[in-house]
Amino acid sequence: MRLARDTINQHVVRAQYAVRGELAVKSEEYRARLKDGDTNLPFDQVISANIGNPQQLDQKPITFFRQVLSLLENPELLKKEDVLINGLGYKTDVIERAKWLLKQVGSVGAYSASAGAPAIKESIAAFLERRDGFPADPSKIYLSTGASSGVNTLLHVICADKKSGIMIPIPQYPLYSATLSLLDAQAVPYYLDESKAWGTSFETIKAAYEKGKADGLDVRCIVIINPGNPTGASLSEEDVRSVIDFAQQENLVIMADEVYQTNVFIGQFHSFKGVLRKLQKENPGKYDGVELASLHSISKGMVGECGHRGGYFELVGFDPEVEAQIYKFVSIMLCAPVIGQCLVELMVNPPRPGEPSYELYSQEYSGIHEGLRERASALHKAFSQMEGVQCAEPQGAMYLFPTVQLPAKAHEAAAAEKRTADEFYCLKLLEATGVCVVPGSGFGQEEGSLHFRTTFLAPGTEWVAGIVKFHKEFMDKYR
C-alpha cells in the first residue's frame, strides 16, 4: 500500500502552523519569481513579516558572537593570533572566549553531554542569578535546539493521554496547539484581554480551567508567553504573581516561554523564576511545590541567530523521578547542536564594561534595540491612521497584532473563496504589496473578531506605507 493523506498519522494531518502556512509558501514563490527577473508583479520585493526571523530581514549579527564562532568552527585560525588581531580586527577577549569554549566542548563537531556542555550550563546558571537575584542550579538546566525543542520535550513528558489538558493563551504561538495535536492532547484556551494591553487575570484563567475540568480533562499545565507572541504584550509583576497563585492553588505546571525577555519597550521584564522566588521568600512553605519550566533562546532578542538553533530550559520544583524521564527524553535526541550551545553561552555572558569588545557589542546591541523600537512605533502609528484598525501600543517582543474591521462585502468575498475574512485580507495584502503577514485565525482570536500579526523586523518604512495604501484601496473596493 502506498502512503496517502488518509492513511498517514492523522494527528499530523490535523496539526496547523499558520506562520509557515499557505501565505508563507506563496510569498516564497513570489520571491523566486522576482529573483528570476519576473517584472509582472506589482512589487519589487517580498517582506516576510510572517515570522520572527531577524537576519532574513537584514538584522546584522553581533560581531563578537560571529567572531568567536568563526574560531570555534576553524580552530586553525588560533595559530595566527597576530593576523586575527592586526589584520582582521579581532579583540583579545574574542580569542580568549573561543579558547575557553573549545576547552569546554572539545570540537563543535562532536556530541556534547545529553543535557548540554556542563560549563555552558554553569554560565547560564550564573546569568540567571544575575538576572533574578537568586541562585540557579546548573543540573536543572537543559540545552535545547532552540526553545521549540524544549517545548516539545516538556509537552511530551507532561501529556499522558488524550485527556491531558494544557492551558494555552489565545491568541497563542501555534507551536503549542500544533504540538498538542501531534500528541493527541487537548488545548484548554484562556483568552487574553485586548482592552487591557493583552493582559490576563486570575478570574479568566480560573474560568478556563473550570471549563476544561467540566469537559472531563485532566488539566496539568499552564503556558505563558511573556513578552507575548503574537500580541507583543509584556506582563506586569502583578499578572505574573496571579498566574503563579493559580498554578499553586490547582497544582499546575507553569511553562514560561520567555524567549523575548530582552525585547521590552515599555516597563520591564519580570521572569517567572524571579517572581516565584520572591513569593517563596515572602510566604515560607506556601509556594514550595510549584513546578516551573522556563525557556529562552538565541533566536530572538538582539541576537536573532535563529538558524543556529540554540536555547535552554530550566526546571524548578520538579520531582527527581520526573526529571530523570526528561533527561531520558533529551538523551534520545542526543544533544542540542554544540555551536548553538556555544552561542547560548555568548548570549548569557556577553562582553562586559571594560573588556575590549564591549564598546562595539554595546553599540550594536543598543542599535538593534532602538531600530526595533522605532519600526514598532512607525507601524503602530500607521495602523492608528487606518480605517477600522485598532492596535495596542507596542510593549515588547517583535510583533503587533492589530484588530481590523472589514466591510460586509469583504466577508462575502472571503466566504466565496472558502476563506476566513482575515485570511482573505492577508492574501490580498500579499498579492498587492509583497508583504506577508499572518491572519489572526492562525493564532486564535475571540469569536467575531479579526486580526493579523506582523513583525516589525524589516528595515525601512516604505513597506509600511504600502500597507496603508493597500488598506485604503481594499476598504474602498469592498465598502
Side-chain angles (χ1 to χ4, degrees):
M1 180 191 74
R2 292 194 64 185
L3 291 176
R5 191 178 190 275
D6 294 340
T7 62
I8 61 169
N9 184 337
Q10 292 302 293
H11 304 318
V12 176
V13 174
R14 283 191 289 272
Q16 295 183 334
Y17 192 64
V19 295
R20 288 182 181 263
E22 180 195 0
L23 273 79
V25 171
K26 195 167 185 119
S27 74
E28 290 306 318
E29 289 171 2
Y30 286 152
R31 195 189 305 278
R33 283 172 59 182
L34 289 171
K35 193 175 179 182
D36 290 342
D38 190 332
T39 57
N40 295 317
L41 295 170
F43 46 83
D44 57 11
Q45 65 173 336
V46 170
I47 300 288
S48 298
N50 59 304
I51 195 163
N53 193 11
Q55 291 187 25
Q56 185 194 43
L57 294 166
D58 294 342
Q59 180 172 305
K60 296 289 181 281
I62 300 281
T63 301
F64 178 79
F65 295 174
R66 284 299 183 90
Q67 287 182 338
V68 173
L69 293 195
S70 70
L71 301 179
L72 299 179
E73 291 282 14
N74 187 7
E76 287 295 306
L77 296 173
L78 288 167
K79 294 176 180 175
K80 304 284 186 183
E81 285 188 26
D82 57 329
V83 176
L84 292 172
I85 293 167
N86 300 318
L88 297 172
Y90 283 44
K91 304 292 187 187
T92 53
D93 53 345
V94 170
I95 293 167
E96 286 162 14
R97 185 69 65 90
K99 286 180 176 177
W100 181 82
L101 281 165
L102 286 167
K103 187 178 177 186
Q104 307 309 320
V105 303
S107 165
V108 294
Y111 290 132
S112 73
S114 298
I120 294 176
K121 291 171 32 152
E122 286 168 14
S123 196
I124 296 167
F127 155 75
L128 292 169
E129 183 165 353
R130 290 193 303 273
R131 186 193 71 182
D132 297 329
F134 296 94
D137 181 350
S139 73
K140 311 295 186 188
I141 292 166
Y142 296 75
L143 275 297
S144 57
T145 308
S148 299
S149 92
V151 169
N152 187 51
T153 295
L154 293 163
L155 289 178
H156 263 86
V157 172
I158 293 168
C159 296
D161 54 39
K162 63 172 61 179
K163 288 290 185 184
S164 297
I166 306 293
M167 300 189 71
I168 62 171
I170 297 296
Q172 52 104 28
Y173 178 49
L175 167 68
Y176 293 94
S177 54
T179 305
L180 292 173
S181 289
L182 295 174
L183 291 169
D184 198 21
Q186 309 306 313
V188 178
Y190 66 94
Y191 284 86
L192 303 178
D193 188 344
E194 188 168 6
S195 69
K196 294 180 179 171
W198 296 108
T200 189
S201 69
F202 189 98
E203 294 73 25
T204 303
I205 291 170
K206 188 174 194 298
Y209 172 82
E210 287 175 351
K211 183 181 185 309
K213 296 289 279 185
D215 290 341
L217 298 179
D218 173 16
V219 185
R220 298 178 156 216
C221 171
I222 181 166
V223 172
I224 308 285
I225 309 173
N226 179 45
N229 179 5
T231 64
S234 186
L235 294 183
S236 66
E237 183 172 345
E238 184 184 357
D239 277 349
V240 174
R241 282 174 176 255
S242 73
V243 172
I244 296 172
D245 269 331
F246 190 75
Q248 183 274 328
Q249 183 179 299
E250 303 297 346
N251 285 325
L252 297 176
V253 176
I254 301 169
M255 193 184 302
D257 181 336
E258 298 177 330
V259 302
Y260 297 100
Q261 61 188 260
T262 56
N263 293 102
V264 176
F265 308 129
I266 295 175
Q268 66 181 91
F269 167 70
H270 299 281
S271 77
F272 270 79
K273 165 91 175 291
V275 176
L276 174 60
R277 290 297 190 228
K278 277 189 200 171
L279 284 167
Q280 289 172 334
K281 195 175 177 182
E282 293 164 6
N283 307 271
K286 181 178 178 182
Y287 295 94
D288 288 357
V290 172
E291 295 159 289
L292 167 68
S294 52
L295 303 107
H296 196 12
S297 165
I298 60 172
S299 298
K300 311 304 177 187
M302 276 24 83
V303 185
E305 292 282 3
C306 307
H308 275 109
R309 310 306 298 129
Y312 70 83
F313 59 90
E314 181 191 21
L315 302 179
V316 174
F318 279 68
D319 183 295
E321 291 187 3
V322 174
E323 281 190 45
Q325 299 307 311
I326 292 171
Y327 179 83
K328 178 170 70 179
F329 190 95
V330 300
S331 297
I332 293 168
M333 300 295 112
L334 297 176
C335 69
V338 174
I339 198 74
Q341 293 186 41
C342 292
L343 251 172
V344 170
E345 201 285 326
L346 299 175
M347 173 181 74
V348 300
N349 186 21
R352 300 186 190 183
E355 294 179 347
S357 293
Y358 177 74
E359 190 178 338
L360 178 59
Y361 168 79
S362 177
Q363 182 185 321
E364 290 176 339
Y365 188 96
S366 58
I368 293 167
H369 191 274
E370 284 312 301
L372 288 171
R373 185 203 294 269
E374 284 168 16
R375 291 196 296 279
S377 179
L379 202 49
H380 178 254
K381 187 177 177 184
F383 289 152
S384 68
Q385 296 166 356
M386 287 160 53
E387 179 189 352
V389 176
Q390 290 179 303
C391 185
E393 187 178 2
Q395 296 179 21
M398 297 175 170
Y399 314 103
L400 292 177
F401 196 64
T403 304
V404 56
Q405 293 176 317
L406 300 177
K409 281 185 181 176
H411 285 264
E412 290 163 13
E417 292 190 14
K418 295 186 169 55
R419 295 184 183 279
T420 60
D422 52 355
E423 187 184 10
F424 178 76
Y425 177 88
C426 293
L427 180 63
K428 296 303 176 189
L429 172 65
L430 174 62
E431 290 171 351
T433 66
V435 177
C436 184
V437 298
V438 189
S441 50
F443 303 94
Q445 54 195 348
E446 287 271 15
E447 190 73 34
S449 70
L450 299 173
H451 300 79
F452 64 87
R453 188 195 77 168
T454 177
T455 70
F456 40 80
L457 292 165
T461 54
E462 303 80 13
W463 63 282
V464 178
I467 294 175
V468 175
K469 180 175 180 287
F470 159 80
H471 182 78
K472 183 179 186 310
E473 291 169 355
F474 183 94
M475 297 298 279
D476 287 344
K477 180 176 179 179
Y478 292 103
R479 198 178 303 286

